[in-house]
């Protein structure tokens, strides 16, 4: 069920199990680099169902990301564990973007975002025993430069299928950084997990040493 079941680090209070409702390698790295011990459990949420409902009901990008993060956290049933759920939406000029289905879609998405400023709506939720204890949304803004088609070809060749794992077809922790002219906001929120607000909440809950 989980791939990391270890004793808490000195930064954590014993007796409080921490679970990440995601197998995202990037989110796991963010938590691990922060010195935390946690279990990573895949969420069974059908994201497409919630996203479709969001479109019909007119949810904002932030609300959609929050609903997804909450559903993921609540889907993990581990008694008394503090479960972290996170999700991310991208919006630009009123249009919502999802992970591209293939490399052709990734190319089109990057061509559309080129020269524009877009927002990443990154939500994180902490649940315990079926109840939401805390939630937060960060909204970093990223401006893509007016890169050439030659650069786009080279970038897609370099990144390959890794482009398909992100709502923006890029990894700012990798070659995707070359796409940008300016970035404003929390770096960890761009990676998919707003870490500073999360750590603050975990300290207030007694999971971490204050």
């Amino acid at each position: 069920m989980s791939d990391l079941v270890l004793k808490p680090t000195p930064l954590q209070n014993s007796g409080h199990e921490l679970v990440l409702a995601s197998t995202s390698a990037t989110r796991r790295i963010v938590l691990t680099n922060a010195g935390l011990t946690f279990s990573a459990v895949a969420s069974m949420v059908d994201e497409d169902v919630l996203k479709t409902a969001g479109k019909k009901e007119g949810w904002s990008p932030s609300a959609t990301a929050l609903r997804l993060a909450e559903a993921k956290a609540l889907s993990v049933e581990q008694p008394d564990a503090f479960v972290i759920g996170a999700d991310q939406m991208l919006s630009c000029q009123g249009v919502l973007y999802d992970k591209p289905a293939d490399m052709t879609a990734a190319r089109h998405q990057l061509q559309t975002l080129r020269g524009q400023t877009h927002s990443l709506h990154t939500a994180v939720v902490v649940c315990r025993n079926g109840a939401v204890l805390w939630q937060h949304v960060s909204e970093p803004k990223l401006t893509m430069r007016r890169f050439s088609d030659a650069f786009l070809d080279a970038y897609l060749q370099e990144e390959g299928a890794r482009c398909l794992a992100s709502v923006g077809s890029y990894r700012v922790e990798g070659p995707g950084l070359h796409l940008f002219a300016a970035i404003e906001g929390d770096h960890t929120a761009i990676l998919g997990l707003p870490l500073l607000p999360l750590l603050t909440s975990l300290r207030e809950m007694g999971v971490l040493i204050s």
Side-chain angles (χ1 to χ4, degrees):
M1 185 176 184
S2 61
D3 52 8
L4 287 174
V5 182
L6 305 172
K7 292 182 180 179
T9 70
L11 301 174
Q12 297 170 234
N13 286 310
S14 61
H16 295 303
E17 183 182 1
L18 192 60
V19 178
L20 175 64
S22 170
T23 55
S24 161
T26 301
R27 291 190 179 105
R28 288 169 59 183
I29 289 171
V30 168
L31 286 181
T32 299
N33 287 346
L36 303 188
T37 297
F38 58 95
S39 300
V41 180
S43 137
M44 295 295 105
V45 172
D46 188 335
E47 296 186 29
D48 290 336
V49 170
L50 279 174
K51 289 175 182 177
T52 299
K55 289 180 181 179
K56 288 182 178 179
E57 297 180 24
W59 300 347
S60 68
S62 291
T64 302
L66 201 55
R67 295 288 187 95
L68 286 163
E70 179 180 311
K72 289 179 179 180
L74 291 174
S75 74
V76 176
E77 298 180 1
Q78 291 200 15
D80 296 327
F82 291 83
V83 184
I84 301 167
D87 208 280
Q88 191 174 58
M89 300 291 292
L90 186 155
S91 67
C92 183
Q93 304 296 325
V95 178
L96 292 183
Y97 292 81
D98 209 336
K99 294 177 183 178
D102 51 37
M103 295 303 292
T104 298
R107 176 186 294 277
H108 177 70
Q109 188 178 81
L110 290 169
Q111 287 173 329
T112 303
L113 295 174
R114 176 168 51 188
Q116 303 290 328
T117 297
H118 65 262
S119 296
L120 287 175
H121 309 265
T122 308
V124 58
V125 171
V126 177
C127 295
R128 191 184 194 198
N129 295 328
V132 176
L133 303 182
W134 174 83
Q135 59 186 31
H136 174 83
V137 180
S138 290
E139 297 183 345
K141 298 186 182 301
L142 300 87
T143 302
M144 283 194 179
R145 65 184 183 87
R146 295 188 178 279
F147 47 81
S148 65
D149 287 339
F151 170 82
L152 180 57
D153 290 340
Y155 167 74
L156 291 173
Q157 181 179 355
E158 172 68 18
E159 279 293 85
R162 289 186 291 266
C163 292
L164 309 183
S166 164
V167 292
S169 304
Y170 58 77
R171 298 179 303 133
V172 295
E173 71 275 24
L177 193 61
H178 290 272
L179 295 164
F180 294 95
I183 295 177
E184 301 176 24
D186 179 358
H187 179 68
T188 57
I190 295 169
L191 297 181
L193 191 65
L195 189 57
L196 286 178
L198 175 60
L199 294 178
T200 297
S201 75
L202 292 176
R203 279 191 291 270
E204 292 173 348
M205 295 173 196
V207 179
L208 304 182
I209 296 174
S210 61

